[in-house]
Amino acid sequence: MAVPLRSVTVAAVVAAGAWLLLSGSSADAFRWNLPAWVPPPVVPADNPMSVAKVELGRHLFHDPRLSADSRMSCASCHHQDKAFTDGRAVAEGITGEKGARSAMGLANVAYLPTLTWANPLLKSLEVQALIPIFGEHPVEMGMAGREAELFARLRSDATYRRLFAQAFPPEARLGEAALYSLSTVTKAIAAFERSLLSFNSPYDRYKYGGEPQAISAAAKRGEALFFGEKMECYHCHGGFTFNDNVTHSRLPFPEFGYHNTGLYNVDGQGSYPADNPGIGEFTGDASDRGRFRTASLRNVAVTAPYMHDGSIATLQDVIRQHYAQAGRSTSATGQPSPMRSELLVGFEVSDDEVNDLVAFLSALTGPDFLPDPRLGNPWPSR
């Protein structure tokens, strides 16, 4: 899902925790059941949340019939037990073609002002949903030019006939002419993705819930390291989402964070591999070489491998071999990137400190988020 926006065909575009209450009739009002310390997400005016729309989106998200060969769903690259990423270094489509970047986890995606590793222009979940379904560079789900076939598949299924009618009744279509369209499909998927909320980790219960024993002594020592001046993790991974890219209903303006962490230095001058140049590909600014969006650290213990290209296998290696070294050198000079963020200065770290920091990061995993059946596959045979 990290494919640049321009990979979607023009025809396709033109043709187009905290837990959600999913029980009851389609008329039930949608409610965010958020703790007081978490603000509600921003929801587009033309795609209001509803219980029925989220349930339709859940079915679409997990349905392989949205791919050309009916083998790949959105969930193929976004597994619930991995916080909605896939455990691969880079995503792979139905043809076996690999993308350049790792599939991002979708927990709390409703709070992101931009949605991919390196495209600062892609800000809408509704638009983003088009990319894996119809994108061609690389091919993911392979439905480019097959919109009519997709709608025929949906119409032929009795479950979808009921769900689409409930999610988009005539009085709530907001100008939608067709019940089955790229607009209704992507709005439903986006609504489901906004419901993927994870704010009930052991650390949350310790920090906000008055449960001092919710995390271990090691995790408490790791918390001190995380928020301390030695490692300075909190500068880019602060706030309730544990990153520096955030938008929500109480924030007047979105906050954006893109950083060059010195992961590559292929020419000794800070360059990254040609297939992963960072946001400079879109801005045209040489100073943006190697800058990628900060990832959230919520559920990070289950989202390996790490970094935008999945090039680091474990959290221990992320700490020891990357951040402690002020960036990883891949140049002939053996020097860290001169383009890396000024926040990366390196640090000495012991094995005990690494273990403590990993214990803290592990305490950010939402244990009830990963197995919640309300977010899982509703198709028993698919």
Side-chain angles (χ1 to χ4, degrees):
M1 296 182 71
V3 185
L5 178 59
R6 64 172 180 270
S7 69
V8 177
T9 62
V10 173
V13 174
V14 171
W19 303 118
L20 161 70
L21 303 182
L22 289 176
S23 60
S25 72
S26 62
D28 286 345
F30 181 92
R31 289 187 287 162
W32 304 107
N33 187 22
L34 292 163
W37 50 272
V38 177
V42 175
V43 177
D46 66 348
N47 190 22
M49 298 290 284
S50 74
V51 171
K53 193 183 296 179
V54 170
E55 184 64 0
L56 170 60
R58 180 170 76 107
H59 281 73
L60 291 166
F61 185 90
H62 288 280
D63 195 341
R65 289 175 293 180
L66 269 65
S67 67
D69 62 2
S70 293
R71 290 190 302 111
M72 183 179 184
S73 67
C74 302
S76 297
C77 290
H78 299 282
H79 304 180
Q80 184 179 357
D81 64 340
K82 295 179 173 62
F84 292 93
T85 184
D86 64 359
R88 296 180 175 181
V90 295
E92 185 175 316
I94 61 169
T95 64
E97 183 179 5
K98 295 182 184 232
R101 288 178 283 280
S102 179
M104 303 190 89
L106 298 182
N108 304 324
V109 71
Y111 292 94
L112 289 174
T114 60
L115 299 171
T116 67
W117 288 107
N119 185 346
L121 308 177
L122 190 46
K123 302 176 181 181
S124 163
L125 283 170
E126 289 77 5
V127 173
Q128 194 280 332
L130 293 166
I131 295 173
I133 301 173
F134 300 103
E136 297 182 277
H137 305 290
V139 171
E140 293 185 65
M141 297 168 75
M143 289 299 287
R146 303 174 72 165
E147 294 84 359
E149 180 181 346
L150 171 60
F151 303 144
R153 292 179 185 179
L154 300 178
R155 272 193 221 95
S156 69
D157 186 285
T159 297
Y160 276 133
R161 289 196 296 271
R162 172 177 57 83
L163 291 175
F164 269 88
Q166 291 174 343
F168 296 101
E171 67 274 14
R173 285 192 198 167
L174 298 176
E176 300 293 346
L179 183 55
Y180 301 91
S181 68
L182 293 185
S183 179
T184 56
V185 167
T186 57
K187 283 179 176 178
I189 293 173
F192 171 69
E193 290 173 336
R194 290 189 178 100
S195 78
L196 303 178
L197 303 176
S198 181
F199 295 113
N200 191 34
S201 69
Y203 182 71
D204 296 325
R205 299 198 302 275
Y206 162 74
K207 181 73 173 178
Y208 304 105
E211 298 182 35
Q213 304 308 313
I215 65 173
S216 66
K220 292 173 185 176
R221 294 192 299 270
E223 177 192 24
L225 290 167
F226 185 91
F227 290 104
E229 294 303 319
K230 175 179 177 176
M231 295 185 178
E232 302 196 84
C233 311
Y234 69 95
H235 286 300
C236 297
H237 294 285
F240 70 98
T241 59
F242 285 89
N243 71 358
D244 59 358
N245 292 266
V246 65
T247 185
H248 57 74
S249 57
R250 300 174 193 165
L251 195 65
F253 303 103
E255 297 176 1
F256 302 93
Y258 289 84
H259 306 280
N260 183 330
T261 67
L263 187 65
Y264 290 96
N265 182 24
V266 296
D267 60 357
Q269 299 178 40
S271 291
Y272 272 49
D275 63 346
N276 261 321
I279 65 169
E281 178 181 7
F282 293 90
T283 67
D285 188 337
S287 67
D288 284 335
R289 285 183 299 168
R291 293 179 64 210
F292 289 84
R293 203 202 74 199
T294 313
S296 171
L297 297 184
R298 284 193 173 271
N299 302 289
V300 69
V302 300
T303 62
Y306 300 104
M307 317 311 281
H308 67 273
D309 58 354
S311 60
I312 303 183
T314 69
L315 286 173
Q316 289 85 349
D317 288 345
V318 170
I319 299 164
R320 286 195 192 96
Q321 298 177 16
H322 183 59
Y323 287 110
Q325 304 301 319
R328 182 180 66 183
S329 174
T330 57
S331 72
T333 66
Q335 297 300 311
S337 168
M339 299 288 293
R340 73 189 187 280
S341 168
E342 65 276 7
L343 296 173
L344 270 79
V345 296
F347 46 81
E348 296 290 331
V349 64
S350 69
D351 288 345
D352 285 343
E353 288 175 319
V354 170
N355 292 335
D356 288 345
L357 185 54
V358 170
F360 167 72
L361 295 173
S362 298
L364 302 180
T365 300
D368 48 0
F369 174 71
L370 302 181
D372 192 315
R374 294 169 294 183
L375 307 177
N377 186 359
W379 303 103
S381 60
R382 298 185 186 281

